[in-house]
Amino acid sequence: MTMISIQGKGVSTGVAMGPLYYYQRAKSTIRRYEVEDVHAEWGRFKAAQSKAIDQLGELAEKAREEAGDEAAMLFETHQMMAEDMDYEEAIENLIKEEKLNAEAAVTDTAAQFADMFAQMDDAYMQARAADVKDVSSRIIAALTGVVQGGIDSPVPVILAADDLAPSETVQLDKTKILGFITEGGSGSSHTAILARTMGIPAIIGVGNQLKPEYEGRDVIVDGSTGSVVLDADEATRNVMMAKREEQLRQRRLLEELKGQENITRDGQKIKVFCNIGNPEDVPTVLSNDGGGIGLFRSEFLYLNCSDYPSEDYQFEAYKQVLSDMGDKEVVIRTLDIGADKQIDYFQLPKEENPAMGNRALRICLNRPEIFKTQLRALYRASAYGHLGIMFPMVTSVWEVKEARKMCEQVKKELDAEGKPYSPDVQIGIMIETPAAAVMSDRLAKLVDFFSCGTNDLTQYTLACDRQNNDLGRFFNPHHPAVLRLLKMVCDNAHKNGVWVGICGELGADLELTETFLSIGIDELSVSPRAVLPLRQKIRETTVSAVKEKVLADLLADENAL
């Protein structure tokens, strides 16, 4: 076959080679037609039902191993619902009496049962509406040949997609992915973040250059240059593979830094922690010598459920992370949904501008029953390690006071119930809005730490949508306005005895390491695979030699540049 070269934008470095595979997404519209052989169609349904029940059984066992019996109960409940007699009879009637195809019969029955549950007065029964939709979606996926998790391949693949929603990245079988290519997306999309966490190459923004007929062809991707090559000729393949070998050699050299301190040549120390999305990421943190966890994105627990996760389900997940990390610090961010992270069962109203709408801490303060459940799980888990709780999307002092008040209520409840928790839980907030940065002198009096979310801080400061790859050079995380805000936050924090971290993507940007050390950042939280390259950069830096110039450039007026 003729070699084809495609150019995109690299957002996670590395070279990988494998077959190209398109992500299989369930179709939003189901075909409706009359069937001639109703008994054969009923057989199709029964086979799909059986497959769905088997999948749910496997998920239940996996959940039991990872998070205990209560986590497994969700999938076992779905198993029972999939073979519920009333549910099955309604589908059978539509197929055999109405001669409706199985996909349409399941869709109609799901809508009927979901509506019935939603009309009930009992809150528990109302919540079953989401369950019946989830079960039905699984059966429809089996009928249409769409794979749960989006990948049906016996070998690992280079995964191609238009882009992936957070709820889709949660479901992926990570063992089957060598690299990502997306038509759209941005450097701060969840696909890019997932790739960096996994340490695999990712290329975005290839547009319509990638054709459906290319599926199955051998492809080499270079995440540092954004190059995609299909059916590479021998010379190109040799160059790319040599580059891959050199990257692996450099990686082996970095292994020698394990166990070393994150300390500059002139003795300035900084903590290097890791960002994770679920308990399964912890071994990668430990194998890459992360000093702790600076950001556990707890919303991925919610994205992985078809209903609100219970207190015990969350407790088991947080407990597992804290226990596995031993005496290392673990900062868990409270629920941060809204904007690009939507969850159906929250039933959030559609917003014209969701990035500035009802999201993160705003949802928690407006729906305290959800917030309290999470806080109880967090405090109970704190007995098993060194926990910090972090509130996202803060703009005002009153929000922090309200959140802390809820923490005190939870601790009183746990005391009354005789349930243990640590007395040393640190409370922090994310600095990801200009308002929080400007108010950091007052906010510092209410918390133990700040963690700067540079993706959103850049978005809100520069009025640039972080998900819009077309903005190109306008979305500039190195913009002096962003860096000046970070310096302001550091100064205000240190005056009040508060430590400051960065948990956004800039933490791993080696071009800014000298700047962060110069302005006094205390902790950098990065993807696990970025720990050792960052440690190397820190150990090669002499802050006293660069600090004066860094600060002068940062604070210089326009005429001095």
Side-chain angles (χ1 to χ4, degrees):
M1 289 187 177
T2 306
M3 184 174 81
I4 299 172
S5 296
I6 294 170
Q7 190 61 43
K9 178 182 177 183
V11 292
S12 181
T13 59
V15 174
M17 179 176 68
L20 183 66
Y21 185 93
Y22 282 89
Y23 176 73
Q24 294 188 22
R25 180 178 286 120
K27 295 179 175 63
S28 57
T29 55
I30 296 295
R31 285 183 61 222
R32 307 177 69 84
Y33 55 89
E34 186 176 299
V35 295
E36 293 182 5
D37 189 339
V38 295
H39 296 291
E41 194 68 8
W42 175 243
R44 278 187 71 228
F45 165 76
K46 291 298 289 180
Q49 178 193 39
S50 179
K51 184 174 182 179
I53 290 168
D54 288 345
Q55 288 174 349
L56 289 163
E58 291 170 8
L59 288 169
E61 287 309 308
K62 186 172 185 287
R64 182 171 283 108
E65 289 170 13
E66 294 175 356
D69 288 341
E70 180 150 349
M73 279 180 61
L74 170 68
F75 299 108
E76 289 168 346
T77 300
H78 283 194
Q79 274 186 308
M80 290 186 286
M81 187 169 284
E83 52 188 346
D84 176 80
M85 287 180 61
D86 292 336
Y87 174 76
E88 187 175 308
E89 186 179 324
I91 294 169
E92 185 176 15
N93 285 339
L94 288 173
I95 292 174
K96 292 185 177 179
E97 303 299 327
E98 305 290 334
K99 294 187 177 183
L100 198 58
N101 62 304
E103 294 90 338
V106 174
T107 301
D108 289 359
T109 302
Q112 175 193 338
F113 275 63
D115 185 58
M116 177 183 70
F117 284 130
Q119 299 300 322
M120 293 182 179
D121 293 333
D122 182 68
Y124 174 83
M125 295 308 293
Q126 288 173 355
R128 302 289 68 77
D131 289 337
V132 75
K133 288 178 182 176
D134 191 79
V135 168
S136 301
S137 295
R138 188 173 293 276
I139 294 172
I140 291 168
L143 284 164
T144 56
V146 172
V147 182
Q148 293 292 319
I151 304 172
D152 182 17
S153 170
V155 296
V157 299
I158 305 294
L159 189 65
D162 49 358
D163 198 8
L164 294 170
S167 56
E168 292 172 329
T169 64
V170 168
Q171 301 286 341
L172 290 172
D173 182 351
K174 314 295 191 295
T175 64
K176 293 286 182 69
I177 306 171
L178 299 168
F180 287 106
I181 308 171
T182 62
E183 294 175 13
S186 72
S188 57
S189 69
H190 289 277
T191 309
I193 291 170
L194 174 63
R196 288 190 284 266
T197 300
M198 294 172 66
I200 61 175
I203 295 169
I204 63 168
V206 300
N208 61 3
Q209 299 177 83
L210 213 55
K211 311 295 184 186
E213 57 266 28
Y214 295 165
E215 181 160 36
R217 293 174 68 171
D218 285 335
V219 60
I220 303 176
V221 294
D222 183 347
S224 58
T225 65
S227 174
V228 178
V229 181
L230 287 94
D231 297 311
D233 58 32
E234 187 176 357
T236 304
R237 180 186 292 263
N238 289 341
V239 168
M240 300 285 266
M241 289 301 99
K243 184 172 184 179
R244 183 172 183 271
E245 283 304 312
E246 175 59 19
Q247 289 171 345
L248 292 174
R249 189 184 73 81
Q250 291 293 333
R251 186 76 202 172
R252 287 192 291 270
L253 289 175
L254 286 172
E255 294 288 312
E256 297 174 9
L257 289 173
K258 285 186 177 179
Q260 302 294 314
E261 284 190 292
N262 304 303
I263 185 170
T264 65
R265 285 177 173 169
D266 51 344
Q268 183 170 324
K269 294 182 180 180
I270 188 168
K271 295 176 180 177
V272 178
F273 287 0
C274 293
N275 301 331
I276 67 169
N278 60 65
E280 289 73 48
D281 292 335
V282 171
T284 311
V285 173
L286 297 174
S287 66
N288 284 276
D289 208 24
I293 291 173
L295 170 62
F296 176 6
R297 302 180 179 95
S298 69
E299 59 272 12
F300 282 88
L301 295 180
Y302 293 76
L303 283 161
N304 210 12
C305 292
S306 59
D307 199 356
Y308 298 103
S310 68
E311 178 184 325
D312 284 343
Y313 176 81
Q314 293 186 65
F315 163 69
E316 292 292 345
Y318 304 145
K319 173 187 170 184
Q320 181 182 337
V321 172
L322 285 157
S323 299
D324 290 350
M325 290 300 293
D327 61 355
K328 297 177 186 287
E329 295 176 62
V330 175
V331 175
I332 300 178
R333 178 172 71 188
T334 56
L335 175 64
D336 185 8
I337 66 160
D340 58 326
K341 296 190 284 277
Q342 296 292 327
I343 303 177
D344 288 345
Y345 59 82
F346 271 76
Q347 297 182 332
L348 298 175
K350 185 171 176 59
E351 298 174 294
E352 288 297 320
N353 193 349
M356 294 188 180
N358 193 23
R359 59 174 296 195
L361 187 60
R362 295 171 180 176
I363 292 173
C364 291
L365 294 179
N366 286 334
R367 300 174 72 172
E369 70 286 355
I370 296 172
F371 195 27
K372 181 179 279 191
T373 297
Q374 181 171 35
L375 290 176
R376 282 179 58 90
L378 285 166
Y379 272 100
R380 286 173 58 197
S382 71
Y384 296 87
H386 190 163
L387 175 67
I389 298 174
M390 179 163 68
F391 305 127
M393 194 62 182
V394 167
T395 59
S396 303
V397 166
W398 73 264
E399 295 167 346
V400 181
K401 288 182 176 179
E402 283 291 310
R404 293 210 67 146
K405 191 184 300 181
M406 186 76 77
C407 291
E408 292 306 312
Q409 290 174 7
V410 163
K411 288 195 284 185
K412 285 179 182 177
E413 286 181 8
L414 294 177
D415 284 335
E417 296 165 16
K419 293 181 177 175
Y421 61 89
S422 170
D424 300 318
V425 175
Q426 289 202 319
I427 298 295
I429 61 170
M430 289 194 73
I431 304 291
E432 52 190 335
T433 65
V438 172
M439 296 298 293
S440 56
D441 57 335
R442 297 188 186 177
L443 291 167
K445 301 181 189 308
L446 300 173
V447 297
D448 302 302
F449 67 92
F450 291 148
S451 189
C452 302
T454 52
N455 294 341
D456 271 333
L457 186 61
T458 302
Q459 168 174 254
Y460 294 127
T461 303
L462 303 184
C464 268
D465 181 358
R466 58 181 278 198
Q467 300 297 319
N468 186 346
N469 197 43
D470 293 335
L471 287 170
R473 59 183 177 171
F474 297 104
F475 186 87
N476 175 21
H478 291 223
H479 195 291
V482 177
L483 300 179
R484 286 186 181 191
L485 286 176
L486 292 175
K487 183 180 185 306
M488 177 195 299
V489 170
C490 279
D491 292 345
N492 286 332
H494 293 158
K495 285 175 191 173
N496 289 280
V498 166
W499 63 267
V500 184
I502 288 180
C503 63
E505 294 300 306
L506 281 194
D509 188 334
L510 301 185
E511 292 181 19
L512 288 175
T513 306
E514 291 180 352
T515 299
F516 294 148
L517 289 164
S518 297
I519 65 176
I521 293 291
D522 303 294
E523 175 249 19
L524 294 168
S525 191
V526 298
S527 300
R529 303 299 176 101
V531 169
L532 296 178
L534 179 55
R535 179 173 296 164
Q536 182 181 48
K537 178 66 176 179
I538 292 166
R539 292 174 65 86
E540 291 173 350
T541 301
T542 305
V543 181
S544 56
V546 299
K547 185 172 183 178
E548 186 175 339
K549 182 179 186 309
V550 166
L551 295 181
D553 289 347
L554 181 61
L555 301 175
D557 62 38
E558 191 72 24
N559 295 325
L561 294 176

